[in-house]
Amino acid sequence: MKSYQKLTTTQPAACRVEEEGAAPMPSGHGKLAPCWVGTGLLVAAVLLSTITVWVLRQVSGGWLGPLAPPKCLLVPESHRFDCYPERRVVVTQELCESRGCCFIQSPPPAEGKQGVPWCFYPPDFPSYTLESLNQTALGVVGLLVRRQKAYYPRDIEKLRLDVEFEMDTRLHIKITDAANPRYEVPLDVPRVMKRAENPIYSLNFSWDPFGVLLQRKETGTVLLNTTVAPLIFADQFLQISTSLPSKFLYGLGEHRGSLLHSLDWNTLTLWARDVSPTESFNLYGAHPFYLLMEEGGNAHGVFLLNSNAMEVALQPAPGLTWRTIGGVLDFYIFLGPDPSMVIQQYQQVIGFPAMPPIWALGFHLCRWGYGSSNETWQTVRAMRNYQIPQDAQWNDIDYMDGYRDFTLDSQKFASLPSLVEDLHKHGQHYVMILDPGISSTSPHGSYWPFDEGLRRGLFLNTTQGQPLIGQVWPGFTAFADFSNPDTHQWWLENLQHFYAHVPFDGLWIDMNEPSNFMDGSEDGCPPGDFDSPPYTPAVLGDSLFSRTVCASAKQKVSVHYNLHNLYGLMEAKATASALIRIRGKRPFIISRSTFPSQGQYSGHWLGDNRSQWKDMCYSIPGLLSFSLFGIPLVGADICGFSGSASEELCTRWMQLGAFYPFARNHNTQNEKAQDPTAFSPAARTAMKDVLLTRYSLLPFLYTLFHHAHLRGDTVARPLFFEFPGDVATWQLDRQFLWGRSLLVTPVLEPGVDSVTGYIPQGMWYDFYTGSSVNSSGEVLKMSAPLEHLNLHIREGSILPTQKPGTTTQVTRGNPLRLIVALSSHATAWGDLFWDDGESLDTFEKGNYSYVVFNVTQNIFTSTVLHASTEATKVTIDTLNIFGVQKPPSKVLLNGQEKPFTYLDNQVLTVSDLGMSLSQGFSLQWL
């Protein structure tokens, strides 16, 4: 029996919404929609702020400087929106007031923290005026005019406002130059043909200054109020701020940290960068989307469709500022009302993720530094010898000749074609790495990828029209321009040539921020506003070309300044297309750099982490964030990439990693091996057992990916998605769910044999034994010896599982076991999607089976809603029913009595069913 210990805990409280009728973040000016007032709170805040400043002045001996104007003292600290966000500048009163802003010094923040801005906007700072507003078929169109210039060059005087009420739960707001076209992200988005009939939101405008007020009709909650700070729209500086209805905000990737963002003066930068995951740095991808939980459990999301360098400043008001240096302000707002629906609505705009091949959900093994194909092969054989599940073997750049793409080291990796053939014979697969930097130093005529790319003009060019040369692994390199359709054809031809020798199954596209070991190029970067813009967001390295190419580099579609954050997406799109052409099956691609919509083409791994407990812990918010971003095929390097993993760390990480949607163990060169065969028999057995558990759950996991592909469901899921009314779940990121049904509670600390986890309200069943835990919504201490991972099944669920094999191919031929977890009302539901696991568009072509399982009134039914020949190849052999309150007297399968077992922990088991998945049946217990 499993024992649980209840623990007391202080539950995190949700931020309170402002009193009804009050503006959460008063601007102090503006003509707003009727009834939107709230002076009482403002006066109180102003009085408090004034007293605070007076007291600080006394205790500091007047170090705060001259008394600020009264209009500045009216602004509470938490509501001060930064007027001088430039980094590496000591903001003086003179600099600040030259911009027409308020200057009040505040006590310095703690080291490594940002603090209250000293220079902030006064309530009467000039902004745009809404000069006209007219109805359109889909919404409204307006003209915004700025009569007084702001402080960045090339202010745009007149802006066009387009608002489309696209759906009842989706609003589209776009602000751009009224007179001249500007760069816009070349992303296909849905076009609606008619206006939403019954939107669950109401939209009002402030005319002078211009502002947007968006409310949820049902609750009156103010979701957006952009009058809190001025709108600025210059050629290379676009800024808009808003109040937030709570402090519970998620998304805005790619960063390393907790799932829930801090609003304590926290700035998040979005600019793709090659750097080992580190807190506060801008990392590999850019995802300008946030999800916010509102008081009461509603949720909404906001997506800024903009690919330029960007930062998002969060502050405790609560409030948020979008700050970007190009493009347009193109917002989509999703009203949910629950968090799962928000993510579905977001993916209706950016596109649903691709359905992965089933083998992609198996266990992957890689390292940089195998040294040879024979050494790689030895690892594969050792895994087979110990009968440890493995579906894919990978190689890093060491398989190449001189680290050049599309080449093979003819000495160390001469046997690679034979290895790949052997993998295929065993139902396994081969994945290799590719980088976008193409070696430029080989003698002319000796390296076709560069020669042909140069001949066709397919590389990023300098402002002088010559290929931009940087430096990556092979030395000096040119960079493929994937915004050019001709590059896609060249990429395909290169892959076809290599595939003829090494028939790979999937591709790992790395270094595609793009990474560059030089800053800019071998010649640096030219002077000008692309590489040295009037404002540079808080990027690592303090310049746009730090460890990447020049922002001024020319590409087919636009300048790199605009396209940088899209580089990985464009490469993934070209690679997916090529794989489909070459193999005629679903492509498998893992990419380092990502952008919204990339789930349609690739998965993602969380980059070059370290073999440390902290890194393992941070992987959970990482994978959950990418679930929000519409990239469900995600995982971290199991056991860590750099450094050496201890046996305990690697065992615990293998347990956690077995429940990453994408599960790959990978490490660097010159470190000790960390694949399961490298450890002691006890650790190796623990790793093998948890991989067998994963493989047993593949039917369930594969079905979750089907729902992600079909409608945008998440696979790895934060607890608050299923329990949005439970505020205690809103900041949990040390546990997660698969779908709605399976709770994973890993050990994330060394030297322990127990783990504490939050068990949401309801009945939960131990995955392994079926013993129940009835929780009122509490933290429990659970036994967790080194060989054990805590898994719990939610009441009311039915999980399709399968006898595990050492590959997905073997597993798929084994009989199914259905685990039924009865609710307190003795009901349960589940489903199963089944196809051949690799063909393109099986759902769209009808080549699949879909089966629904249901329990009510002690009757289990399997109903086939759609059938294909694949389902005839597999049988349902066993039913485990958890939570059967009384021992049955008999069990009937389609009316015929069947033997059964019943345990004291209320688990009913019926075996040897022998029912074809393609045929419906019922089972009753009396």
Side-chain angles (χ1 to χ4, degrees):
M1 286 290 292
K2 192 162 189 58
S3 62
Y4 299 90
Q5 177 184 347
K6 295 184 179 181
L7 302 177
T8 57
T9 182
T10 302
Q11 305 294 358
C15 224
R16 294 183 65 81
V17 176
E18 301 287 336
E19 294 176 9
E20 184 175 351
M25 298 178 65
S27 65
H29 65 307
K31 292 175 251 179
L32 297 167
C35 302
W36 190 39
V37 294
T39 55
L41 287 177
L42 175 59
V43 170
V46 167
L47 182 59
L48 181 61
S49 176
T50 305
I51 293 171
T52 301
V53 170
W54 182 85
V55 170
L56 283 172
R57 186 178 304 281
Q58 304 314 306
V59 300
S60 65
W63 68 268
L64 289 175
L67 187 65
K71 68 179 181 180
C72 298
L73 297 175
L74 290 177
V75 183
E77 282 192 352
S78 64
H79 292 62
R80 293 177 183 173
F81 286 83
D82 199 345
C83 177
Y84 217 110
E86 283 83 349
R87 300 298 174 96
R88 310 288 185 252
V89 174
V90 176
V91 181
T92 64
Q93 183 168 353
E94 182 181 10
L95 284 174
C96 179
E97 291 179 352
S98 70
R99 292 186 170 183
C101 290
C102 296
F103 183 82
I104 299 178
Q105 287 179 273
S106 302
E111 186 176 354
K113 297 282 187 180
Q114 301 172 46
V116 181
W118 292 4
C119 184
F120 57 94
Y121 296 105
D124 59 352
F125 190 92
S127 185
Y128 286 86
T129 301
L130 181 57
E131 291 285 315
S132 64
L133 193 66
N134 298 296
Q135 294 285 330
T136 66
L138 299 177
V140 295
V141 60
L143 177 65
L144 311 180
V145 177
R146 175 178 276 281
R147 306 200 183 284
Q148 185 174 337
K149 284 190 173 294
Y151 45 84
Y152 284 107
R154 298 184 298 281
D155 238 1
I156 296 174
E157 180 184 352
K158 294 182 179 181
L159 302 176
R160 176 186 171 103
L161 168 71
D162 284 287
V163 178
E164 294 184 353
F165 303 96
E166 294 193 343
M167 298 175 67
D168 291 344
T169 55
R170 186 172 87 214
L171 176 66
H172 187 189
I173 300 175
K174 184 175 176 181
I175 302 172
T176 188
D177 189 333
N180 300 296
R182 291 179 60 79
Y183 163 78
E184 297 187 27
V185 182
L187 189 70
D188 291 331
V189 292
R191 301 295 179 192
V192 297
M193 303 308 294
K194 66 174 185 176
R195 180 176 178 148
E197 295 179 357
N198 297 294
I200 65 172
Y201 50 85
S202 63
L203 182 66
N204 289 291
F205 299 98
S206 165
W207 289 73
D208 186 12
F210 165 73
V212 171
L213 176 70
L214 179 67
Q215 290 178 281
R216 186 180 297 279
K217 282 183 178 178
E218 181 185 15
T219 61
T221 302
V222 176
L223 308 183
L224 298 177
N225 167 14
T226 69
T227 66
V228 295
L231 167 65
I232 296 179
F233 201 123
D235 182 37
Q236 289 182 275
F237 186 88
L238 291 72
Q239 178 175 278
I240 190 168
S241 302
T242 181
S243 64
L244 299 171
S246 89
K247 65 180 182 180
F248 293 95
L249 182 141
Y250 316 83
L252 298 174
E254 179 177 8
H255 297 93
R256 180 160 113 157
S258 58
L259 180 64
L260 175 68
H261 286 301
S262 167
L263 269 61
D264 187 17
W265 305 107
N266 181 22
T267 297
L268 302 169
T269 306
L270 281 64
W271 183 248
R273 177 61 147 81
D274 172 8
V275 62
S276 295
T278 307
E279 298 90 319
S280 80
F281 288 176
N282 49 295
L283 301 182
Y284 309 107
H287 292 272
F289 166 81
Y290 71 77
L291 171 75
L292 188 138
M293 292 298 295
E294 307 159 26
E295 183 175 321
N298 286 332
H300 70 274
V302 177
F303 172 42
L304 173 55
L305 180 51
N306 182 294
S307 62
N308 288 90
M310 181 187 309
E311 59 192 17
V312 185
L314 308 174
Q315 62 190 76
L320 175 150
T321 297
W322 297 94
R323 207 176 280 136
T324 184
I325 60 172
V328 302
L329 297 176
D330 192 359
F331 290 101
Y332 288 86
I333 301 98
F334 311 100
L335 275 289
D338 68 54
S340 292
M341 294 175 71
V342 171
I343 302 306
Q344 290 173 347
Q345 292 156 12
Y346 175 42
Q347 291 174 91
Q348 288 171 4
V349 170
I350 64 171
F352 296 124
M355 184 68 186
I358 184 69
W359 65 267
L361 307 184
F363 178 60
H364 301 248
L365 191 55
C366 184
R367 77 165 301 170
W368 180 20
Y370 281 123
S372 69
S373 49
N374 286 341
E375 188 179 335
T376 310
W377 208 338
Q378 287 172 10
T379 302
V380 173
R381 288 178 177 134
M383 291 286 286
R384 289 178 193 155
N385 182 53
Y386 289 114
Q387 296 184 298
I388 300 172
Q390 182 188 2
D391 258 81
Q393 180 60 52
W394 296 39
N395 276 126
D396 208 316
I397 57 175
D398 38 5
Y399 79 88
M400 301 176 183
D401 179 10
Y403 299 146
R404 296 178 303 164
D405 277 357
F406 313 113
T407 66
L408 187 65
D409 186 324
S410 60
Q411 294 183 345
K412 295 179 180 178
F413 281 81
S415 63
L416 184 59
S418 299
L419 165 58
V420 174
E421 182 181 6
D422 178 66
L423 288 169
H424 292 165
K425 284 180 180 178
H426 286 83
Q428 295 172 302
H429 300 81
Y430 180 71
V431 179
M432 64 184 196
I433 195 170
L434 280 178
D435 294 338
I438 303 298
S439 175
S440 60
T441 58
S442 299
H444 181 71
S446 66
Y447 184 49
W448 191 87
F450 178 75
D451 292 342
E452 191 63 15
L454 186 65
R455 187 183 72 81
R456 300 186 198 179
L458 304 180
F459 298 123
L460 271 64
N461 283 335
T462 65
T463 54
Q464 303 302 310
Q466 298 299 312
L468 183 147
I469 302 300
Q471 187 174 10
V472 201
W473 296 113
F476 291 113
T477 55
F479 297 86
D481 178 10
F482 291 103
S483 76
N484 186 343
D486 294 339
T487 305
H488 293 214
Q489 177 62 29
W490 164 85
W491 194 245
L492 167 65
E493 291 169 20
N494 279 292
L495 287 167
Q496 286 173 326
H497 295 157
F498 195 80
Y499 186 85
H501 300 287
V502 181
F504 52 84
D505 301 288
L507 290 170
W508 170 21
I509 51 176
D510 191 14
M511 308 291 285
N512 53 355
E513 293 74 29
S515 176
N516 184 1
F517 297 165
M518 296 176 162
D519 288 346
S521 78
E522 63 177 343
D523 300 317
C525 295
D529 284 342
F530 287 132
D531 293 301
S532 303
Y535 179 80
T536 300
V539 297
L540 178 63
D542 297 323
S543 82
L544 297 183
F545 52 84
S546 176
R547 286 290 296 249
T548 189
V549 300
C550 298
S552 57
K554 294 180 178 180
Q555 296 189 236
K556 178 75 171 181
V557 166
S558 185
V559 68
H560 190 74
Y561 180 90
N562 293 326
L563 300 180
H564 174 83
N565 282 338
L566 299 175
Y567 194 91
L569 168 63
M570 290 177 167
E571 185 190 15
K573 197 171 182 178
T575 306
S577 173
L579 274 176
I580 291 170
R581 288 277 301 275
I582 291 169
R583 298 182 72 247
K585 300 175 181 178
R586 289 177 217 163
F588 171 73
I589 300 159
I590 295 296
S591 174
R592 192 167 74 179
S593 189
T594 58
F595 190 80
S597 79
Q598 194 150 334
Q600 295 181 71
Y601 311 105
S602 82
H604 172 63
W605 97 103
L606 297 173
D608 295 340
N609 59 4
R610 303 165 187 87
S611 297
Q612 298 177 1
W613 291 90
K614 180 175 73 170
D615 288 65
M616 177 172 66
C617 189
Y618 273 130
S619 71
I620 299 176
L623 70 93
L624 295 178
S625 291
F626 274 86
S627 292
L628 271 57
F629 301 149
I631 304 178
L633 189 63
V634 61
D637 283 345
I638 297 170
C639 300
F641 173 69
S642 64
S644 288
S646 69
E647 182 164 288
E648 181 190 12
L649 171 61
C650 201
T651 303
R652 293 301 194 189
W653 207 330
M654 282 291 293
Q655 290 169 345
L656 168 59
F659 287 84
Y660 293 156
F662 164 60
R664 181 186 71 161
N665 179 314
H666 176 49
N667 73 332
T668 189
Q669 60 182 351
N670 303 321
E671 299 288 353
K672 64 182 183 181
Q674 63 186 34
D675 63 86
T677 71
F679 295 99
S680 71
R684 186 171 63 238
T685 300
M687 295 177 187
K688 175 181 175 179
D689 287 347
V690 77
L691 288 176
L692 288 170
T693 299
R694 177 189 178 90
Y695 274 62
S696 75
L697 284 160
L698 283 174
F700 174 56
L701 180 60
Y702 193 62
T703 301
L704 293 178
F705 270 95
H706 166 68
H707 291 309
H709 171 63
L710 191 62
R711 62 180 184 229
D713 285 2
T714 51
V715 176
R717 189 171 298 176
L719 272 71
F720 74 84
F721 270 50
E722 289 299 318
F723 303 93
D726 183 354
V727 178
T729 66
W730 289 12
Q731 53 184 300
L732 297 180
D733 59 9
R734 296 169 69 91
Q735 299 166 272
F736 58 97
L737 293 159
W738 267 12
R740 64 175 300 276
S741 307
L742 188 64
L743 176 63
V744 183
T745 307
V747 172
L748 301 172
E749 298 167 349
V752 299
D753 59 4
S754 64
V755 64
T756 57
Y758 185 75
I759 308 297
Q761 183 173 10
M763 189 77 74
W764 295 81
Y765 297 91
D766 182 275
F767 171 81
Y768 310 98
T769 67
S771 297
S772 62
V773 182
N774 193 2
S775 174
S776 60
E778 54 207 316
V779 175
L780 297 181
K781 183 178 181 181
M782 295 169 270
S783 175
L786 188 59
E787 71 277 5
H788 183 72
L789 171 69
N790 277 274
L791 298 173
H792 290 87
I793 305 175
R794 185 180 180 182
E795 64 171 311
S797 305
I798 300 177
L799 269 57
T801 73
Q802 203 161 19
K803 181 182 177 181
T806 53
T807 64
T808 53
Q809 184 181 85
V810 172
T811 301
R812 282 173 59 81
N814 291 338
L816 290 164
R817 176 173 73 109
L818 306 180
I819 302 177
V820 179
L822 294 178
S823 72
S824 56
H825 303 293
T827 60
W829 186 92
D831 62 344
L832 174 63
F833 177 82
W834 193 271
D835 62 9
D836 69 8
E838 63 178 7
S839 294
L840 295 164
D841 303 324
T842 55
F843 177 79
E844 292 77 5
K845 296 175 181 176
N847 299 328
Y848 69 95
S849 294
Y850 183 66
V851 185
V852 168
F853 310 115
N854 193 64
V855 173
T856 184
Q857 297 180 337
N858 291 359
I859 301 174
F860 170 94
T861 57
S862 172
T863 306
V864 181
L865 298 184
H866 194 279
S868 70
T869 56
E870 290 294 328
T872 63
K873 302 174 185 177
V874 66
T875 59
I876 298 174
D877 188 63
T878 305
L879 247 66
N880 291 127
I881 305 171
F882 297 168
V884 178
Q885 298 293 318
K886 299 176 182 178
S889 59
K890 60 181 174 180
V891 171
L892 303 176
L893 174 63
N894 288 338
Q896 300 296 313
E897 198 163 339
K898 286 286 292 183
F900 64 91
T901 62
Y902 180 81
L903 302 179
D904 290 343
N905 63 345
Q906 301 182 337
V907 174
L908 170 65
T909 299
V910 187
S911 302
D912 300 320
L913 297 177
M915 300 303 300
S916 171
L917 181 61
S918 62
Q919 295 179 327
F921 68 94
S922 66
L923 184 139
Q924 182 178 17
W925 57 98
L926 302 170

